[in-house]
Amino acid sequence: MQIDHLSNPSSLVSWERERIASPVNAFVRFEREYTELSVPDCFEQRSLRYAERVAIETPEGGITYGELNSASDRLASILLRERGTGQEPIALLLEHDAPVPVAMMAVLKAGKFYVPLDPSYPVQRNREILKDSQTKLIITNNKNLALASEFSGDRHQMILLEEGARGNDLQRPRISVRKEDLAYVLYTSGSTGSPKGVMHTHGNLLHKVMRHTNGRRICSEDRLALLFSYSFGASLTNTFGALLNGSTLIPFNLRERGISQLAGWLRDQRITIVHTVPTVFRHFVHGLQSGETFPTLRLIRLGGETMYRSDVELFREHFGNDCILHLGMGSGETGVVLECFFDKHTECRTELAPAGYATEDTEVLIVDEAGQPVGFEHVGEIAIRGRFLSVGYWRKPDLTESSFLPDPTGGDCRTYLTGDLGYMLRDGCVFHLGRKDSQVKIRGARVELAEVEATFLSLPQVREAVVVAREDRTGEKRLAAYVVLQPDSGVTSQSLGRSVRAKLPDFMVPSLIELRDSLPLLPNGKVDRQALSKTPPTERRDRDTSLTPPRYFLEVQLGHIWEEVLELRSIGIRDDFFDLGGDSLRAVEMFSRVEEICGKRLSPSRLLSRLTIEQLAEVLLEDDSESFKGALVPIQVGGLNRPFFFLHGDCETGGFYCRNLSKHLGQDQPFYAVMPHGYDEQPIPEYVETMAQDRLRAILEIQPTGPYLLGGFCGGGIVAFEIAQQLRRNGQQVEPLLLIDSRAKNIELRSLHKVSRWLARAFRMTLTEERQCFRRLRWWHDGWRESAKRGVQGQTAFLVGKASHWTKASFRALASPFSRDSIAPEEQPLDTGFSDSLDERTLRYLRHHSAVSYYVPQRYPGRIVLFGSTTLRERCAGDLTAGWSEVTPDLEVHWIEGDHKSCVTKYAAEVAHKLRPYLFKRSAV
């Protein structure tokens, strides 16, 4: 197939290799002669030259090159003592933040090769790797010793990494290591249903380092971020590219710390080079704040997935003139073989970003099914030809022979068929079009769909299973599994997901598992995979438990985040994130969204074992208890506009939605969330007037004089209204009072309120007595109105009942000297009827609700702007002003999306858009 839409293919990419890729630094070329040595020989030279320079920075501290060399010598000596000389695999089981290079270098110095295991992988997968690699010894540390024992049992020796740090009399190992010796075996997804090991020699690894060093001009001044686990091939060039150039390697555990912390960490650690996959890069960039810069960052490497012009535009938008974007393509079998550089001024003129040009000592071909070149601008399989490819697959000679073709001329150059589709321009630039078979890239990691399908089919309840890759809302690849069960199996998609998750890494677990009665077939009887990949996902997968809807604003807000991240609807607060198709990357995205919207950073390790909205909300409230102290919470204090004091009215979960609302109002708008009473360990006032008076004092401390910008939601809007009343009575100016979904309750009771006020003055009642009087009059009013619906008979029954009640109450008062009436009036609280056995959250809500229920809004001389939800519209069908037209003649009403709770959570952006004209046109104080 020819690419015929390229009018001028040679100019699609303005790539000036030398100008872009040549920063001014202390770069020393990695000479070709080094590739004839071994990795330990090269490292010995660097460790002598840079003995005092920091090689690795971990959370526990820095390790210099001299210390790394000595520690690896000691550990290598222990290895030789335990296992003797000779090539054999040594497994490594260490967490990302551990000083893994000590173990790597020790294995290589002992003349052996290492096999990475990942603590985050399921036990069964690590067992399979151990079994296939025929490993007899595992290097681990105290943190992972129990895990190593779990999948090893008594079949493997254990050496602790900490032993390499202890001083002893062991001599430096003197083992001759050749460039032809194996350095590592890296396991990737296999098409047979089990992982396959890719073998590389010392010479191959050093050649990768040479290309990496010289292409990126890595030097001793560089500080390289390590985001990939050492079980991924991408980590190897980062690790050895740093350690064989005198650079500093700094691991960052993306899984534990999350993308939201990455920006600050890059600045704090003065990172110069960072390497990641496009998926993570996009999430990272979209989370950046306006104006964020990275003064030391000079190179961003992206690879592992197809890249687009939008990725280049994101780079150009957010990074400075001194930073370079490097796009690369490669595999575990080849290393990076295609690359392309962009700077601030380089244009990408196609929607698909180029994979780039062939690297040093590499020839890239585009071939057809017969292995013959297809010509320029024709689609075919990308093939890599060179001398420094992988030597093959561990214990799989047939697969090695079919994947690595010998040199037809009899030389030592072989050709590796990548299984990727692409096309080449006349100037040698290659574009990658994705996989030609069932192998896909998920978050930069290679996945054989056949392996995932084999895992499903290994379950006794499954009869058929097909796994396809589909794009989500962001265009990223996700796995979807379509499963036909055995009759009467009685399992659910949730339980299937848990079974598969116990066997596969999370990036290989499908985010959608859909149960079907049958699978679509092609005329030849094969499954129609294309039809499945285009099938829209179900709204909500089946569950083992019934849906429990959100109860509080915070749970509603978290539910909206989950719906967007998981692309599902109708999520219950007790549904497990991972059972819904979530994975570690979506969990990182979800935590970043929670931090962005709620303003609270969480430790994923506290929740990742099981994760529900209910649990997440409780943890947020626990972690945020201290910030609830006080009357005002500053959400946004910068900006040139007047501060906006917003009474959020969320008496149950603290108004987390305010952060999201403030963000959409913009950085120029100072925003203070005025907390409802009850969060500061002080008694909740019984009257709205008292609440308003107390919160007004806090507002005046921030802004002593007007004009004031006030707003409120729900019951908070009622308190905001009373604050505005008190400010105006004190001669202060209030800008339009902005109310969201607040009702002017009790307007019809203003006459009763006047009567109670007159009686209070006439009989010199205390405020408590006056409120009791108003309450009794309201009871009369409500009872009489209800009885009138039943006619004269109903009204008569009402009067008789009240008379009987008064008679009994009078006799009780005479009979008991300790009756309620004997208590001094000013000591009598309102009888709310609330039990102290209620939880604090419910009790706080009920006390606020009681105070608001007996508040009667009086005439207001200022302007009110009401923003009403669909819920308010339904409740106030007879009066679409929600009663506020009876309070002020100067009223505006706007209708917004969402119900009472979702209008300020899910639709916060729309609310902010409609609020903004009433805030931003005001000049600063």
Side-chain angles (χ1 to χ4, degrees):
M1 179 179 70
Q2 184 174 11
I3 304 298
D4 56 9
H5 64 278
L6 304 179
S7 58
N8 188 12
S10 63
S11 64
L12 282 173
V13 182
S14 302
W15 186 38
E16 303 168 64
R17 182 194 296 259
E18 295 301 324
R19 178 178 67 83
I20 290 179
S22 302
V24 178
N25 58 15
F27 165 69
V28 176
R29 185 174 179 81
F30 196 98
E31 299 297 343
R32 185 175 296 275
E33 63 192 57
Y34 296 145
T35 63
E36 300 297 316
L37 304 175
S38 69
V39 174
D41 290 338
C42 283
F43 180 72
E44 288 286 344
Q45 298 177 15
R46 304 313 189 269
S47 64
L48 292 174
R49 183 185 306 173
Y50 304 111
E52 300 304 319
R53 186 179 291 276
V54 174
I56 312 168
E57 284 189 6
T58 68
E60 285 70 36
I63 301 174
T64 66
Y65 275 84
E67 292 168 341
L68 173 58
N69 193 40
S70 298
S72 58
D73 280 346
R74 289 192 290 269
L75 192 56
S77 298
I78 297 172
L79 272 174
L80 290 170
R81 183 187 66 197
E82 296 295 327
R83 299 297 304 169
T85 60
Q87 281 253 290
E88 68 169 314
I90 303 296
L92 307 182
L93 181 68
L94 300 162
E95 72 276 8
H96 182 73
D97 292 341
V100 182
V102 173
M104 291 178 171
M105 205 63 68
V107 171
L108 300 180
K109 285 184 175 183
K112 307 182 186 304
F113 56 95
Y114 65 85
V115 178
L117 303 175
D118 197 317
S120 68
Y121 282 2
V123 170
Q124 182 171 334
R125 185 175 180 84
N126 284 323
R127 282 180 182 152
E128 290 177 2
I129 293 175
L130 280 175
K131 180 180 179 180
D132 185 75
S133 65
Q134 299 181 322
T135 301
K136 303 298 182 184
L137 185 145
I138 302 173
I139 297 178
T140 185
N141 55 7
N142 287 317
K143 183 174 181 179
N144 293 287
L145 182 59
L147 179 60
S149 301
E150 181 180 351
F151 58 72
S152 169
D154 299 328
R155 297 182 297 277
H156 297 83
Q157 290 179 262
M158 303 284 182
I159 292 180
L160 294 178
L161 181 63
E162 288 83 355
E163 294 184 24
R166 299 170 187 160
N168 52 48
D169 297 330
L170 293 174
Q171 298 296 315
R172 175 171 171 264
R174 299 288 182 181
I175 301 297
S176 176
V177 182
R178 304 171 303 157
K179 69 174 184 177
E180 296 85 6
D181 290 339
L182 284 183
Y184 63 88
V185 174
L186 192 68
Y187 276 80
T188 64
S189 176
S191 60
T192 60
S194 60
K196 59 186 178 184
V198 181
M199 301 183 291
H200 276 283
T201 64
H202 286 253
N204 288 352
L205 178 55
L206 289 173
H207 193 268
K208 288 182 185 180
V209 172
M210 180 189 75
R211 289 180 292 172
H212 180 61
T213 300
N214 297 339
R216 266 65 78 192
R217 298 183 65 89
I218 299 174
C219 70
S220 59
E221 297 173 352
D222 278 315
R223 296 170 62 82
L224 281 75
L226 182 63
L227 306 186
F228 292 101
S229 164
Y230 68 99
S231 61
F232 286 90
S235 70
L236 298 176
T237 49
N238 291 322
T239 298
F240 290 99
L243 299 182
L244 298 183
N245 285 293
S247 309
T248 300
L249 186 71
I250 308 106
F252 179 86
N253 195 327
L254 194 63
R255 179 187 180 94
E256 285 292 321
R257 300 182 63 178
I259 297 175
S260 62
Q261 295 190 44
L262 183 57
W265 180 84
L266 290 173
R267 283 191 295 270
D268 294 343
Q269 296 295 329
R270 307 185 309 284
I271 299 297
T272 61
I273 299 176
V274 62
H275 182 191
T276 188
V277 295
T279 299
V280 172
F281 174 74
R282 293 167 198 141
H283 288 306
F284 165 68
V285 171
H286 287 310
L288 293 177
Q289 299 295 320
S290 176
E292 280 195 85
T293 59
F294 303 89
T296 61
L297 192 61
R298 71 171 184 84
L299 183 70
I300 299 172
R301 294 184 60 202
L302 298 182
E305 296 172 317
T306 302
M307 290 157 283
Y308 305 93
R309 179 166 64 182
S310 57
D311 297 322
V312 178
E313 294 305 316
L314 285 174
F315 163 77
R316 295 177 64 187
E317 179 181 353
H318 291 277
F319 297 91
N321 293 326
D322 296 331
C323 191
I324 302 297
L325 176 66
H326 169 269
L327 305 184
M329 176 191 164
S331 69
E333 290 83 353
T334 65
V336 176
V337 292
L338 291 166
E339 62 183 6
C340 189
F341 295 85
F342 292 84
D343 65 10
K344 190 80 170 179
H345 309 289
T346 316
E347 294 184 22
C348 179
R349 300 191 181 97
T350 56
E351 289 300 322
L352 186 69
Y357 298 80
T359 57
E360 188 176 5
D361 294 336
T362 301
E363 183 180 1
V364 178
L365 308 170
I366 309 296
V367 299
D368 58 19
E369 293 293 337
Q372 298 301 309
V374 298
F376 296 119
E377 301 172 25
H378 283 74
V379 175
E381 182 177 0
I382 300 174
I384 309 301
R385 188 169 182 268
R387 294 175 50 234
F388 299 95
L389 307 177
S390 164
V391 294
Y393 299 107
W394 175 256
R395 300 179 60 217
K396 289 181 170 59
D398 293 341
L399 181 60
T400 298
E401 184 178 352
S402 63
S403 301
F404 295 88
L405 306 181
D407 191 334
T409 64
D412 58 356
C413 285
R414 295 177 301 146
T415 301
Y416 171 66
L417 301 176
T418 66
D420 290 293
L421 293 176
Y423 63 89
M424 181 184 292
L425 303 184
R426 296 184 182 277
D427 66 349
C429 185
V430 175
F431 284 76
H432 177 248
L433 299 177
R435 299 295 299 171
K436 63 173 289 188
D437 52 20
S438 64
Q439 192 182 80
V440 296
K441 286 287 186 76
I442 301 295
R443 287 151 38 199
R446 189 166 62 187
V447 175
E448 290 281 2
L449 299 184
E451 179 181 358
V452 184
E453 290 174 357
T455 303
F456 274 98
L457 292 171
S458 68
L459 303 175
Q461 305 93 337
V462 176
R463 186 173 69 188
E464 297 179 74
V466 171
V467 178
V468 300
R470 57 186 308 146
E471 292 186 351
D472 64 9
R473 70 188 190 283
T474 64
E476 295 166 9
K477 292 288 187 181
R478 302 287 186 186
L479 297 183
Y482 300 91
V483 178
V484 178
L485 297 174
Q486 299 288 0
D488 303 320
S489 63
V491 299
T492 65
S493 58
Q494 275 188 294
S495 58
L496 284 180
R498 287 192 288 268
S499 298
V500 172
R501 192 172 293 113
K503 299 182 177 185
L504 296 173
D506 60 359
F507 65 84
M508 295 177 66
V509 177
S511 58
L512 170 69
I513 302 175
E514 185 173 302
L515 304 183
R516 290 194 163 207
D517 295 329
S518 62
L519 298 175
L521 300 178
L522 293 169
N524 60 6
K526 294 182 179 181
V527 174
D528 189 348
R529 293 176 177 270
Q530 187 174 12
L532 287 175
S533 65
K534 295 179 179 179
T535 302
T538 55
E539 285 190 6
R540 188 171 181 264
R541 301 189 302 173
D542 60 282
R543 288 166 169 72
D544 299 330
T545 57
S546 59
L547 182 146
T548 305
R551 301 157 297 180
Y552 316 116
F553 277 92
L554 179 56
E555 291 178 345
V556 171
Q557 193 162 20
L558 294 175
H560 295 324
I561 295 173
W562 282 36
E563 287 175 358
E564 293 178 13
V565 172
L566 296 172
E567 298 184 84
L568 292 172
R569 283 184 282 176
S570 302
I571 297 176
I573 62 171
R574 296 193 176 98
D575 292 331
D576 184 82
F577 184 83
F578 300 103
D579 286 345
L580 295 175
D583 51 37
S584 60
L585 184 60
R586 288 196 179 195
V588 168
E589 179 187 357
M590 184 270 292
F591 279 117
S592 298
R593 290 287 311 282
V594 170
E595 179 181 340
E596 175 188 358
I597 291 179
C598 298
K600 298 302 161 193
R601 180 173 298 168
L602 295 173
S603 171
S605 60
R606 293 186 57 183
L607 291 156
L608 284 182
S609 58
R610 178 167 171 79
L611 181 54
T612 68
I613 290 174
E614 184 178 44
Q615 291 172 323
L616 182 57
E618 291 298 332
V619 171
L620 279 167
L621 292 173
E622 289 172 9
D623 289 353
D624 199 48
S625 58
E626 286 304 313
S627 69
F628 285 157
K629 308 290 184 182
L632 301 184
V633 175
I635 304 295
Q636 163 71 27
V637 295
L640 301 176
N641 296 300
R642 292 196 195 92
F644 181 37
F645 298 99
F646 185 73
L647 289 89
H648 61 69
D650 181 4
C651 303
E652 297 164 295
T653 51
F656 280 86
Y657 72 84
C658 288
R659 179 177 174 85
N660 194 29
L661 183 62
S662 173
K663 180 190 74 171
H664 289 297
L665 288 175
Q667 294 185 349
D668 283 337
Q669 181 56 59
F671 189 104
Y672 289 85
V674 183
M675 302 297 292
H677 286 78
Y679 286 95
D680 50 6
E681 298 181 355
Q682 298 298 319
I684 299 176
E686 296 171 347
Y687 316 117
V688 168
E689 291 87 348
T690 310
M691 292 178 177
Q693 187 178 29
D694 181 67
R695 289 308 186 235
L696 178 55
R697 283 195 293 267
I699 291 173
L700 293 176
E701 291 180 4
I702 303 295
Q703 184 182 341
T705 59
Y708 291 92
L709 288 172
L710 293 174
F713 170 75
C714 191
I718 301 300
V719 181
F721 173 80
E722 176 58 28
I723 291 175
Q725 290 277 41
Q726 294 182 15
L727 281 169
R728 283 193 167 272
R729 285 198 293 269
N730 292 331
Q732 294 289 345
Q733 182 182 351
V734 179
E735 298 294 349
L737 180 62
L738 307 176
L739 303 180
I740 303 174
D741 234 37
S742 293
R743 281 198 297 164
K745 294 182 179 181
N746 305 333
I747 290 298
E748 72 279 8
L749 302 178
R750 281 191 294 187
S751 298
L752 290 183
H753 190 265
K754 290 180 180 179
V755 171
S756 65
R757 294 294 300 272
W758 180 83
L759 291 172
R761 287 194 296 269
F763 293 96
R764 298 180 181 179
M765 294 181 184
T766 64
L767 183 58
T768 299
E769 291 172 322
E770 179 185 338
R771 289 305 164 89
Q772 290 283 19
C773 178
F774 175 70
R775 172 175 291 191
R776 292 189 179 98
L777 290 172
R778 179 173 179 174
W779 287 343
W780 259 94
H781 175 273
D782 293 344
W784 183 258
R785 185 170 55 183
E786 286 299 316
S787 66
K789 296 178 182 178
R790 301 192 299 274
V792 176
Q793 185 177 0
Q795 292 174 320
T796 302
F798 173 73
L799 292 173
V800 170
K802 286 297 182 183
S804 174
H805 173 76
W806 285 338
T807 303
K808 292 177 182 178
S810 300
F811 278 114
R812 282 198 302 268
L814 292 172
S816 174
F818 300 103
S819 68
R820 183 179 182 89
D821 293 336
S822 65
I823 304 175
E826 61 271 18
E827 297 174 3
Q828 293 186 19
L830 285 176
D831 183 11
T832 59
F834 302 145
S835 170
D836 292 336
S837 64
L838 294 172
D839 64 272
E840 180 183 355
R841 186 182 301 159
T842 303
L843 196 59
R844 186 166 54 234
Y845 168 78
L846 290 175
R847 293 194 184 279
H848 277 273
H849 180 72
S850 175
V852 171
S853 296
Y854 289 94
Y855 177 75
V856 179
Q858 302 300 310
R859 295 288 295 179
Y860 179 68
R863 185 182 180 196
I864 295 178
V865 182
L866 173 66
F867 303 88
S869 71
T870 56
T871 303
L872 189 68
R873 185 192 291 262
E874 292 168 1
R875 289 180 178 177
C876 306
D879 178 11
L880 293 182
T881 68
W884 294 109
S885 60
E886 299 293 325
V887 174
T888 179
D890 193 357
L891 175 69
E892 288 184 38
V893 179
H894 300 273
W895 297 105
I896 52 180
E897 292 291 330
D899 58 24
H900 183 61
K901 291 183 178 178
S902 66
C903 69
V904 290
T905 53
K906 184 176 182 179
Y907 300 102
E910 182 194 343
V911 173
H913 175 73
K914 292 191 175 182
L915 282 174
R916 198 176 295 125
Y918 301 99
L919 300 174
F920 286 10
K921 66 183 180 182
R922 313 296 169 184
S923 59
V925 176

